[in-house]
Amino acid sequence: MRALVVCYSLTGTTRRVARALASELGAELEEIRCPRYRPGLLGALRAGHDSWRGLIPEIEPPANDPAQYELVAVGGPVWAWNACTPVRAYLTRTAARLPAVAFFATAGGAGFERAFATMAALAGRQPAATLALTAEHFKEGKDPAAIAAFAAELRRGRPA
Ligand SMILES: Cc1cc2nc3c(=O)[nH]c(=O)nc-3n(C[C@H](O)[C@H](O)[C@H](O)COP(=O)(O)O)c2cc1C
């Protein structure tokens, strides 16, 4: 299956998940670049505020054409109980060219349901599968098994 893993990460957690997922799937990895946010208190405040009010920020042009893949897995952190705004920008920009999609997200613990619903609405399609990883998963070392199970689910459901 030709797959692309696309992620946004402000502080590195979702990037680590995306790398592991890409490795499990034998997929290419692309990072969403959004100069509006930088790690640190001010960046976090801006990110939370933007997410809450639904701002779609400028992102750099996507490096890959999603239409060239059978599956695109898109992930990012939850911000203010919703999908982070760079992921929203990516999905808005690429919706017309997306093949089958899967979503993943990381968060302290809350907001996944709304984040995935927003992502599905922007992508214009429901995901084949979703993966929600909390701080507790990472603390307890449960993330590698959860990522492997998610990848296995995606491989099983791969388009013919
Ligand atoms: C602006 C901002 C808003 C956040 N909002 C939530 C939230 O609503 N629910 C939650 O459980 N965690 C929230 N978090 C925590 C992040 O989702 C979590 O730390 C995530 O794993 C960070 O991913 P990253 O390192 O890839 O940026 C928030 C973090 C930031 C910076």
Side-chain angles (χ1 to χ4, degrees), residues 81-130:
W81 302 277
N82 210 327
C84 70
T85 61
V87 159
R88 288 191 238 179
Y90 176 84
L91 292 171
T92 302
R93 187 165 180 151
T94 58
R97 301 196 59 77
L98 286 171
V101 293
F103 300 148
F104 59 101
T106 70
F112 294 107
E113 208 171 301
R114 183 147 168 244
F116 291 144
T118 296
M119 290 167 74
L122 293 173
R125 68 206 60 209
Q126 291 299 319
T130 59

Side-chain angles (χ1 to χ4, degrees), residues 5-96:
V5 175
V6 178
C7 83
Y8 176 79
S9 180
L10 185 63
T11 52
T13 306
T14 318
R15 184 180 300 120
R16 285 194 293 278
V17 172
R19 280 193 186 137
L21 179 61
S23 158
E24 289 277 349
L25 289 172
E28 286 171 62
L29 177 62
E30 172 178 335
E31 224 173 297
I32 300 167
R33 308 260 174 218
C34 182
R36 184 168 167 80
Y37 310 109
R38 307 252 177 250
L41 181 60
L42 288 180
L45 287 173
R46 172 181 268 188
H49 186 248
D50 284 357
S51 186
W52 175 73
R53 69 189 171 120
L55 177 128
I56 302 291
E58 288 291 324
I59 57 170
E60 290 180 14
N64 297 286
D65 177 5
Q68 301 302 313
Y69 298 84
E70 292 165 274
L71 172 81
V72 176
V74 183
V78 172
W79 284 355
W81 302 277
N82 210 327
C84 70
T85 61
V87 159
R88 288 191 238 179
Y90 176 84
L91 292 171
T92 302
R93 187 165 180 151
T94 58

